[in-house]
Amino acid sequence: FPNTNRNHQHKTKMVQGVQIKDGVIQNVNPATGELIAPPVAVTTPKELADVISKANAAQDEWSDLPLAERIALLRNGIAAVEPIAQELADTITKEMGKISAEAKSEVDEAVGLKGAWLDMVREANEDVILGNGECESVVVRDPLGVVVVISPWNFPAGEIPFLAVPALAAGNTVIVKPSEVTPLTGALYVSALASALPEGVLQIVQGDGSVGEQLVSSEDVHMVAMTGSSAVGKRIMEKCAQNLKRLVLELGGKDPMVVFADADLDKAASDAVANSLFNAGQVCCAVERIYVEESVQTEFEQKVVELAKQQTVGIPTEGGVTMGPMVSQMQLENVKKQVDDSIENGAKMLYVSDVPKGGNFYPVTVLSDLKQDMMIQTTETFGPVVAMSTFDGSEKAAAKLANDTEYGLASYVYTGDLEKGSRVARKIRSGQVGINCYSILSAQPKCPWVGHKNSGFGSHSGMDGFRSFSVPKSLVFTTNAPK
């Protein structure tokens, strides 16, 4: 875990360079450098032990409630987020720099989960009767106990319900540890959701890696669901192995986009730019590697540059701004290092935008002629870079280049031939492949969100993902099962 120093009386480094001083998270606005109020105290080890105890005490009674009652309470909890939607969106922008429109969209989606999505969560947890009408078995689902949700800073309101709500619906109690980069966003969301639930069913703790380690290591925690880096995910998995805790890990990505010559190049270029730069590129399934068929390289690159020039980097609350700051100076330096390395090793800089003075602003950057062994082609960038190289147009080369990574979260194939697109997609080892689309926005709601290779373990979302927070149990009868 990042920083396991428990001495919070001094400054200690945490995720994205966030610091704590005298037991308080130094919550800094990435656009202005100003401290954000109110202060957020780090949960002490004693407080954390009490939270875990309270969660275990509440779990039996919560799981004894019928599924329909739990769903109804969760529906009320999600609805309770709506009155604070604007405050929540404004807090996202202050804490991590997301432009106002994107922050509002994130919150709106989180509130919208109270409808058909929550109905699917209910369906995934219902009993299933098997048999021929004379001899039946019933598959029921048992909760695991106490589930810890470790949520990320890049979607600090949107990601919590995708993990916490299915866990709660299954009859577990939940402890959320939001990223130390976005503690107020996490506190606002969890407080609203918890307002409709019995005491102890949903709680929040705050802090750095030492808080996460105490949670994950506790014998009284029974599952961990985390969205974050692959490095931290591996350390969590190691800790959980000692007690065979269940895990759901959504981790990093280095997601490829393949553009064949027969693709709709206008749409492909538009999607390439939009999905490389959304949220300043700080998205696990952002387009990070673009492979363009050689015969259309020049045309495609020209379209990309023209679209990139339409982007405006600036203060995220100002009108006309399409991209805000990077979340931290540390993240900015990481992106700069990769871009500088690529230029030093022969890549071409096709475009770089203007940026405001001050803050953690990084320019919209368009690169071409990238080589597979460059740092920017092998390491997760998480920044506003459109990174292009070419391939010979063969299906074999397309799949090989797309798979040339330790990651496998999402991938994208653009072609006018859907059969070809399907063949290539089936060869790519990633959890989702969008054919002429950005998969996470176009996937059917029952699709799971899963990472192959170093991009994850287990899955969340979709029917398979909803069931990750419980274990099946078969009730076997020699007669018809009771209704």
Side-chain angles (χ1 to χ4, degrees), residues 156-448:
E159 190 70 12
I160 292 174
F162 284 127
L163 299 174
V165 171
L168 290 163
N172 305 287
T173 51
V174 170
I175 301 168
V176 175
K177 191 197 96 62
S179 168
E180 51 267 54
V181 180
T182 52
L184 290 173
T185 301
L188 278 170
Y189 181 87
V190 171
S191 176
L193 182 59
S195 69
L197 306 179
E199 186 177 357
V201 169
L202 175 63
Q203 301 173 85
I204 189 169
V205 297
Q206 301 279 10
D208 63 354
S210 63
V211 175
E213 183 176 21
Q214 186 179 351
L215 277 171
V216 170
S217 300
S218 172
E219 293 184 0
D220 295 318
V221 165
H222 310 101
M223 179 179 179
V224 177
M226 173 263 195
T227 299
S229 73
S230 296
V232 173
K234 290 175 182 178
R235 291 198 286 275
I236 288 175
M237 193 171 188
E238 184 178 0
K239 291 286 184 183
C240 288
Q242 298 171 23
N243 301 107
L244 292 180
K245 285 188 179 74
R246 302 295 174 115
L247 277 172
V248 168
L249 301 174
E250 184 206 321
L251 307 176
K254 192 68 188 171
D255 298 348
M257 176 179 181
V258 174
V259 182
F260 286 95
D262 62 358
D264 179 338
L265 296 185
D266 288 325
K267 176 172 173 50
S270 177
D271 286 1
V273 172
N275 300 321
S276 296
L277 303 181
F278 175 68
N279 199 23
Q282 299 167 130
V283 182
C284 56
C285 54
V287 172
E288 294 214 355
R289 296 176 292 139
I290 303 170
Y291 300 105
V292 185
E293 188 167 340
E294 292 166 342
S295 63
V296 293
Q297 176 187 9
T298 301
E299 181 183 1
F300 185 80
E301 289 180 351
Q302 288 172 347
K303 291 178 183 292
V304 164
V305 169
E306 288 306 308
L307 289 164
K309 287 179 178 179
Q310 297 174 20
Q311 300 286 322
T312 301
V313 182
I315 301 297
T317 54
E318 292 184 356
V321 169
T322 60
M323 196 179 86
M326 305 295 295
V327 70
S328 69
Q329 184 67 28
M330 179 181 291
Q331 188 61 28
L332 185 151
E333 291 297 332
N334 175 61
V335 177
K336 183 178 184 298
K337 180 179 179 181
Q338 291 190 28
V339 171
D340 289 349
D341 174 79
S342 68
I343 297 300
E344 289 170 8
N345 286 283
K348 291 181 182 177
M349 178 84 78
L350 298 184
Y351 174 71
V352 59
S353 73
D354 295 328
V355 293
K357 292 182 179 179
N360 301 324
F361 295 99
Y362 192 85
V364 170
T365 302
V366 180
L367 300 174
S368 72
D369 291 355
L370 298 170
K371 304 296 186 291
Q372 280 299 97
D373 59 354
M374 289 178 177
M375 184 190 306
I376 202 166
Q377 293 290 81
T378 60
T379 306
E380 189 173 32
T381 304
F382 236 58
V385 181
V386 185
M388 296 182 287
S389 56
T390 60
F391 75 110
D392 64 12
S394 69
E395 295 179 28
K396 182 177 180 180
K400 181 178 180 181
L401 288 166
N403 286 328
D404 189 16
T405 175
E406 66 183 275
Y407 298 105
L409 191 55
S411 303
Y412 315 97
V413 178
Y414 282 70
T415 173
D417 182 343
L418 292 183
E419 290 186 1
K420 177 169 69 176
S422 182
R423 287 194 301 269
V424 173
R426 288 174 181 272
K427 291 285 188 181
I428 296 175
R429 296 189 293 276
S430 65
Q432 288 190 347
V433 184
I435 294 124
N436 299 323
C437 68
Y438 191 52
S439 60
I440 196 169
L441 297 182
S442 299
Q444 291 297 309
K446 290 187 176 182
C447 287

Side-chain angles (χ1 to χ4, degrees), residues 56-65 70 198 201:
N56 276 280
Q59 196 272 319
D60 275 350
E61 191 170 341
W62 173 246
S63 65
D64 282 344
L65 287 177
R70 295 199 300 269
V201 169

